[in-house]
Amino acid sequence: MSRWIRSGIRVVAPIAAAFILGFVLFASAGYDIGEVINGLWQGALAAPGSAEQSLRWAIPLSVISFGIVITLRTGEFNIGAQGQILLGGFGAVSVALLLPDWSPYLVIPLALLFGIIFGALWSAIAGFLKVWFNADEVINTLMLNFIAALLIQWVTTGPLKDDATRGETASTPRVDQTFRLSDGAGVSIELIAIVLIAAALAWIIIERSPFGLKSKLVGSSPRVAAWQGLQIKRIHITTYLLTGAFAGLAGALEVLGPSARLVTGATPTLGFTAIVVAIVGTLRVPGALLAALFFGGLQAAILYLPIVSRLPSSGLRIIEGLVALLITAQFVWLRRRHNRRREL
């Protein structure tokens, strides 16, 4: 059996198992499975505007997943993309709000740049803690997500508060229309072009750069990498910076695109879903793009399903969670098996 077929089976099997388990659960609860499947199809592709909605969610998921692919190939498990998205959005919205009279040809690139920088620096905090103090990156990045959420809550209720909002929906003022990259639908030629540029850049970094080769060696065989004299600490720090940069870019695209502002509690699951996107994409950029389209469609279906079915949107969240659970469990098992074989 070829490597590509095995990889395809490893991707499709847990996803199919998650949907089957979900459908069995829904049927046992009395829901019409045919109605649910029709709602999935309509919400992801067939209904008017559904394909655009699927693409709307695939855009940030794909950009975030590019950085996570780099992280996982290096042997790290950075789950802090959610906080990095928020910091990226903070950097971008700050530029857009503080420079209202500047030309959009200057403000938009600056906003994107500051989003990338803020996301990268936020991620680098966990990287330095891991490299210099051997602190667990999973705990660090998870805690940084909470700190980022509290920081954004303070920003949206304090320095950049929009007086028209209150309480749980606190937000910054809206970004001026001239600085927007899309309308509320979240899909535009500009956003798609940025995603494709980010994909090309990520592919070059991973597949065609010395860093990509070194990081893969560090992830697959740290001892060999050390014997080869590679600067492992520098590679790890660069990995965290790149992961945060892509997540920060996604956050900037959100506030310059469909969101048009920074909102307390916005996009609470994007960063975690992007981890599954990267794994489903077999840690490759083209695969991550395809996986992002699939999960973007699932997100669109989650929002659409209650319109045509008695099943609440939380029902599809169960399937999404099952996919994440099974895919992650398979990934961890395969990695441990690889490590055991390497040690023999």
Side-chain angles (χ1 to χ4, degrees):
M1 186 181 298
S2 71
R3 180 171 62 89
W4 292 106
I5 294 177
R6 287 198 302 270
S7 296
I9 292 174
R10 287 172 182 170
V11 169
V12 172
I15 294 176
F19 274 92
I20 291 171
L21 288 173
F23 290 157
V24 169
L25 178 63
F26 301 154
S28 64
Y31 292 103
D32 186 338
I33 299 304
E35 189 178 77
V36 172
I37 293 174
N38 180 63
L40 278 168
W41 170 250
Q42 293 288 327
L45 286 174
S50 59
E52 184 180 34
Q53 186 71 3
S54 296
L55 189 57
R56 177 263 180 273
W57 292 109
I59 286 172
L61 284 173
S62 59
V63 175
I64 303 162
S65 70
F66 299 153
I68 295 174
V69 167
I70 297 172
T71 294
L72 293 175
R73 286 169 67 99
T74 314
E76 296 293 294
F77 206 76
N78 183 340
I79 61 171
Q82 194 60 44
Q84 295 148 26
I85 296 167
L86 294 175
L87 266 292
F90 173 44
V93 81
S94 298
V95 171
L97 294 178
L98 295 176
L99 303 175
D101 300 324
W102 286 33
S103 166
Y105 296 105
L106 291 175
V107 171
I108 293 175
L110 273 177
L112 293 176
L113 177 61
F114 270 74
I116 290 169
I117 292 173
F118 275 43
L121 293 179
W122 194 254
S123 179
I125 295 173
F128 279 110
L129 290 172
K130 174 64 182 292
V131 166
W132 296 111
F133 300 102
N134 199 29
D136 186 274
E137 73 271 19
V138 174
I139 295 175
N140 288 335
T141 51
L142 183 61
M143 292 301 102
L144 283 169
N145 285 339
F146 290 109
I147 296 172
L150 292 172
L151 176 61
I152 298 307
Q153 183 178 358
W154 171 71
V155 167
T156 54
T157 56
L160 296 180
K161 179 183 178 181
D162 182 2
D163 292 332
T165 61
R166 294 288 186 275
E168 295 298 322
T169 59
S171 73
T172 65
R174 295 181 66 85
V175 172
D176 189 274
Q177 186 63 37
T178 59
F179 302 149
R180 299 278 301 279
L181 292 171
S182 77
D183 57 17
V187 180
S188 68
I189 296 297
E190 293 83 358
L191 286 177
I192 293 173
I194 291 172
V195 170
L196 293 178
I197 292 170
L201 181 60
W203 183 83
I204 291 171
I205 291 172
I206 293 169
E207 305 291 349
R208 291 293 184 268
S209 73
F211 169 80
L213 179 61
K214 293 175 183 177
S215 63
K216 184 178 180 180
L217 180 59
V218 169
S220 61
S221 184
R223 288 184 180 179
V224 173
W227 291 340
Q228 292 289 332
L230 298 185
Q231 295 179 322
I232 295 178
K233 289 184 177 180
R234 179 179 296 181
I235 290 171
H236 279 303
I237 291 296
T238 303
T239 297
Y240 279 89
L241 286 169
L242 287 171
T243 304
F246 281 106
L249 174 60
L253 295 180
E254 281 292 300
V255 300
L256 298 180
S259 298
R261 56 183 179 172
L262 193 61
V263 182
T264 297
T267 59
T269 63
L270 272 182
F272 299 106
T273 304
I275 297 173
V276 184
V277 169
I279 297 173
V280 170
T282 65
L283 303 189
R284 297 184 182 277
V285 172
L289 280 170
L290 292 175
L293 289 172
F294 170 78
F295 281 93
L298 187 58
Q299 177 63 35
I302 287 172
L303 299 175
Y304 180 84
L305 190 62
I307 300 174
V308 296
S309 169
R310 294 184 301 112
L311 183 70
S313 59
S314 57
L316 283 188
R317 292 288 183 192
I318 293 174
I319 292 182
E320 188 179 44
L322 286 171
V323 171
L325 174 64
L326 295 177
I327 285 287
T328 305
Q330 181 194 65
F331 176 77
V332 172
W333 177 75
L334 289 172
R335 173 162 287 188
R336 286 180 176 175
R337 189 178 69 171
H338 171 74
N339 290 338
R340 285 196 300 267
R341 286 179 176 178
R342 192 181 62 201
E343 291 170 358
L344 293 178

